[in-house]
Amino acid sequence: VIASKAVQLANGMRQAVAETGANVRINQIGSLVAPFFTADSVESFTDATKSDLNKYAAYFMNMLEQGVYLAPAQFEAMFVSYAHTDADIENTILAAKNVLQKLVK
């Protein structure tokens, strides 16, 4: 059940990325979801270090303003839990889309 919630979140965030044209990769495994601000695939820590840390910092701050609390470092993941409702996930996806629209301008 937790992994399916993470898939829902990751797929929604991928759709937000596609709709906004942002250069972001959304990785998901099990209950972990991680956005990386790069156009390239992220399969290793070396790949992750190529991410735009300034864009992640802006994303982090803007998500806070939307009421979504994330890990402050680009190299940490979001953890989905049983406590997260479908509404929580949908609100996070909507917030991500709003923030990504702002960041690609």
Side-chain angles (χ1 to χ4, degrees):
V1 174
I2 295 175
S4 66
K5 289 178 180 245
V7 168
Q8 178 186 358
L9 176 61
N11 287 341
M13 291 178 70
R14 289 182 187 116
Q15 183 175 346
V17 166
E19 290 175 7
T20 61
N23 281 329
V24 179
R25 290 292 186 147
I26 307 296
N27 284 13
Q28 180 266 324
I29 186 165
S31 65
L32 305 176
V33 179
F36 294 96
F37 284 77
T38 179
D40 300 324
S41 177
V42 177
E43 302 293 328
S44 68
F45 180 72
T46 300
D47 295 340
T49 62
K50 298 174 187 171
S51 299
D52 186 332
L53 301 181
N54 292 325
K55 280 273 187 180
Y56 182 83
Y59 176 76
F60 171 79
M61 294 303 294
N62 280 276
M63 289 294 280
L64 279 177
E65 291 175 5
Q66 297 279 318
V68 178
Y69 295 79
L70 304 173
Q74 170 65 89
F75 308 115
E76 299 179 70
M78 301 163 63
F79 292 79
V80 179
S81 75
Y82 285 117
H84 293 104
T85 65
D86 287 343
D88 293 331
I89 292 169
E90 291 304 318
N91 288 336
T92 301
I93 293 166
L94 180 59
K97 183 177 178 181
N98 291 338
V99 170
L100 292 172
Q101 285 174 331
K102 186 188 269 188
L103 294 179
V104 296
K105 289 182 181 182

